[in-house]
Amino acid sequence: MSQSVAIKNALISVYYKDNLEPIIHELNRLGVNIYSTGGTETFIRSLGVDVIAVEDLTSYPSILGGRVKTLHPKVFGGILARRNNDSDKQQLTQYEIPEIDLVIVDLYPFEETVESGAGHDDVIEKIDIGGISLIRAAAKNFKDVVILASKDDYTELDQILKAQNGTTTIDQRKKFAHKAFNITSNYDTAIFQYFNQEDPIPVFKQSIQTSQILRYGENPHQKGVFYGNLDAMFTKLHGKELSYNNLVDVDAAVALIDEFTEPTVAILKHTNACGIAGRSFIKEAWIDALACDPVSAFGGVIIANDEIDAETATEISKIFYEVLIAPAYTDEAVQILQGKKNRIILIRQPVELPNKLFKTLLNGVIEQDKDATVEGPDQMTAVTDRKPTEQELKDLYFANKIVKHTKSNTIVFAKNHQLMASGVGQTSRVDSLRQAIIKAESFGFDLKGAVMASDAFFPFPDCVELAAEAGILAVLQPGGSINDKLSVEMCNQKNISMVTTGIRHFKH
């Protein structure tokens, strides 16, 4: 196996020419023969550097509007020939094929073209054929060939050329090949996903090129990585890096706050809301959200859907929290919030979020559509003698939004657009209800006149009975139990109203 290879011939054909000039001049200084095509050839000549047109090598012109330029044995033979194989070398001599030791090729911007909203024909023309073939060929033959498939690697190669006088090591070539195959696999995945939108083939493919190493996973003994572009999602104003657990909570917080339009603040702990309130002003929303459960709020994630001003920032700074997210902050608010060293302060950017959710499970992956449904008053069917008032319907809608984003089994109590208490993640619904009653009482909430929402139906009337005794006046549930009639009868006995929605919101 060749360990060190001197670059004698290079093929360069790129879409992006940023930062390419230093490499061209360095190759020229080293006496490397440069082959090129089209715009790249013109660019190299403009630098005063000699370049050989691929057409002169192949004796064949670019055809079909540029669709076929490099697909020729004299190009691919020079790339794929094994330098330690006598038969390969004899054929190179026989057919006058130069050994190509360096290939610098990138790909047409397919993903960017799709994201721009371009028409189907324009998208199809950005499916690279020659480029991706050249990259794969050079990467396959990394024992003898250097492949650069991204402008992000130009600087690294330039440094290698200068430091090693135009030679590369096997480790360097293998590293570049590794990067190249990552680029080609991502490119093919993007093309497949584009075609798989209509009448999709049921296969799981994901490719995300950006990543961030986290301090650790859920616990310090677990490694953690985030795949995605956090900088596109948030602008960090202050604080340490987001941890694995921070990110899980932030994801839940973003999903929850997007349900609300009036000025709203939510406080989350372990992905569940421990406080949330909607008010006319964000400061009032914060005060009432914190009142829901000031104990659980300690060390939580706070999210608002309106600008944080100085007065609100002063109030928020009175407690310990991990992360604060808002669409904007006043300058005075930022100064106040930055007074706490490790608090993470984020501005949320308007980024479209995925509508598919997936996670690893057993020896595979499960995927589902995002739960994009939340039933409002128009989808609530009254099934009891007493009908809910207009305000109760509004509060049921508010409570139902929270239920959708809370771990099952869950019960939510709400009144006047404020969470009063919730029972979260219990193994029976009645246990969740009892938990919610105890929490409401412990923080001084009077449940008389409040409403209750459940993520799933009541298998027995005991939940309704307990809720009525606590002062609940209106209940929301999806319905569908064989014992629905018993729960309705209990509501009628207790003179409280019940609505059904027909939609369950389990969250495991």
Side-chain angles (χ1 to χ4, degrees):
M1 178 185 295
S2 172
Q3 292 298 312
S4 182
V5 172
I7 297 172
K8 304 178 294 296
N9 300 295
L11 172 64
I12 305 175
S13 181
V14 296
Y15 190 89
Y16 296 105
K17 299 167 184 67
D18 310 357
N19 301 319
L20 182 62
E21 181 177 349
I23 292 179
I24 301 298
H25 286 306
E26 183 61 20
L27 292 173
N28 185 53
R29 183 189 72 81
L30 292 166
V32 175
N33 297 313
I34 301 176
Y35 298 85
S36 190
T37 63
T40 308
E41 179 188 343
T42 302
F43 172 75
I44 295 172
R45 292 190 192 282
S46 74
L47 300 177
V49 175
D50 290 337
V51 59
I52 304 167
V54 168
E55 294 178 3
D56 294 338
L57 171 64
T58 63
S59 300
Y60 217 95
S62 171
I63 62 172
L64 307 181
R67 278 189 164 196
V68 181
K69 291 181 288 189
T70 57
L71 295 169
H72 193 280
K74 281 203 170 184
V75 175
F76 282 85
I79 295 171
L80 286 166
R82 293 158 291 191
R83 308 316 195 241
N84 62 351
N85 184 295
D86 291 339
S87 176
D88 285 5
K89 295 186 73 171
Q90 288 172 7
Q91 289 186 324
L92 290 182
T93 301
Q94 178 182 357
Y95 297 109
E96 299 180 338
I97 300 174
E99 293 179 349
I100 297 176
D101 315 296
L102 168 65
V103 175
I104 303 178
V105 175
D106 59 12
L107 299 170
Y108 293 155
F110 177 84
E111 290 178 273
E112 293 88 338
T113 304
V114 172
E115 290 171 1
S116 73
H120 180 70
D121 289 345
D122 290 335
V123 171
I124 295 303
E125 286 307 310
K126 288 300 185 290
I127 298 176
D128 206 310
I129 303 301
I132 203 162
S133 299
L134 290 166
I135 292 171
R136 290 177 62 86
K140 175 178 179 176
N141 203 25
F142 70 88
K143 291 180 181 179
D144 300 301
V145 180
V146 182
I147 173 61
L148 244 70
S150 169
K151 62 182 179 180
D152 295 337
D153 294 327
Y154 289 173
T155 300
E156 183 178 357
L157 177 65
D158 186 44
Q159 293 171 348
I160 290 172
L161 294 175
K162 291 175 179 175
Q164 298 170 196
N165 198 33
T167 65
T168 60
T169 68
I170 184 65
D171 289 339
Q172 290 165 342
R173 295 192 297 277
K174 188 173 183 180
K175 177 183 176 184
F176 283 129
H178 185 183
K179 291 183 177 182
F181 282 126
N182 175 43
I183 288 170
T184 59
S185 66
N186 178 74
Y187 197 76
D188 284 338
T189 298
I191 294 170
F192 172 78
Q193 298 289 29
Y194 175 78
F195 279 93
N196 207 42
Q197 296 176 87
E198 296 181 14
D199 191 22
I201 300 171
V203 297
F204 182 81
K205 291 181 185 290
Q206 289 288 329
S207 181
I208 302 174
Q209 292 291 78
T210 54
S211 64
Q212 179 178 324
I213 302 298
L214 304 174
R215 295 195 301 273
Y216 49 80
E218 283 184 289
N219 300 289
H221 63 277
Q222 296 170 268
K223 293 181 180 179
V225 183
F226 173 78
Y227 295 99
N229 186 0
L230 284 176
D231 291 337
M233 185 81 194
F234 302 108
T235 299
K236 189 174 76 170
L237 300 180
H238 184 69
K240 58 188 178 181
E241 295 300 321
L242 288 162
S243 69
Y244 182 101
N245 291 332
N246 289 155
L247 287 169
V248 173
D249 284 333
V250 166
D251 175 70
V254 167
L256 174 61
I257 203 70
D258 283 351
E259 301 285 0
F260 301 91
T261 55
E262 66 181 328
T264 302
V265 174
I267 310 167
L268 287 88
K269 199 72 172 289
H270 303 303
T271 75
N272 296 305
C274 58
I276 182 167
R279 295 292 181 260
S280 298
F281 301 99
I282 207 70
K283 178 184 173 183
E284 296 172 353
W286 161 251
I287 291 172
D288 288 344
L290 179 62
C292 299
D293 186 348
V295 174
S296 295
F298 181 87
V301 168
I302 304 166
I303 190 165
N305 63 359
D306 204 351
E307 183 180 66
I308 302 294
D309 55 27
E311 289 187 4
T312 307
T314 299
E315 292 298 320
I316 292 174
S317 294
K318 292 178 181 178
I319 75 160
F320 169 74
Y321 59 89
E322 288 278 351
V323 186
L324 173 61
I325 310 162
Y329 303 82
T330 65
D331 292 341
E332 295 85 352
V334 172
Q335 291 179 355
I336 294 166
L337 295 166
Q338 287 178 337
K340 302 293 185 179
K341 181 179 178 181
N342 290 323
R343 307 294 186 270
I344 301 170
I345 313 299
L346 302 175
I347 298 176
R348 182 183 173 189
Q349 304 297 340
V351 172
E352 184 177 354
L353 299 175
N355 57 15
K356 294 283 187 181
L357 307 176
F358 62 87
K359 63 180 178 180
T360 58
L361 188 147
L362 299 176
N363 62 342
V365 173
I366 54 173
E367 181 183 78
Q368 66 172 346
D369 296 333
K370 179 188 288 188
D371 185 355
T373 299
V374 63
E375 310 76 56
D378 291 343
Q379 291 79 44
M380 298 176 189
T381 301
V383 293
T384 49
D385 296 337
R386 181 186 182 275
K387 309 304 179 188
T389 66
E390 183 177 349
Q391 182 59 48
E392 287 167 354
L393 285 172
K394 291 179 180 178
D395 283 338
L396 287 170
Y397 184 32
F398 180 86
N400 199 27
K401 293 177 181 180
I402 302 171
V403 159
K404 173 183 165 182
H405 296 276
T406 306
K407 291 287 187 181
S408 301
N409 289 316
T410 184
I411 292 290
V412 167
F413 295 145
K415 185 178 181 180
N416 297 329
H417 290 203
Q418 180 185 21
L419 172 65
M420 305 188 80
S422 60
V424 176
Q426 298 302 303
T427 51
S428 75
R429 198 159 305 281
V430 71
D431 283 345
S432 290
L433 176 60
R434 290 188 177 115
Q435 181 191 65
I437 292 172
I438 292 170
K439 291 198 75 171
E441 291 175 347
S442 68
F443 294 112
F445 284 108
D446 183 358
L447 292 176
K448 290 183 175 60
V451 303
M452 177 178 80
S454 171
D455 61 331
F457 61 63
F458 300 116
F460 305 103
D462 49 0
C463 283
V464 174
E465 184 176 15
L466 288 170
E469 291 172 355
I472 298 298
L473 287 183
V475 176
L476 176 148
Q477 60 135 333
S481 168
I482 59 174
N483 288 327
D484 273 352
K485 182 180 178 182
L486 298 179
S487 293
V488 172
E489 289 175 351
M490 181 59 68
C491 285
N492 288 332
Q493 289 180 30
K494 300 294 184 179
N495 194 31
I496 65 175
S497 61
M498 174 181 284
V499 299
T500 59
T501 63
I503 301 293
R504 187 185 72 186
H505 289 294
F506 272 164
K507 188 170 184 285
H508 286 87

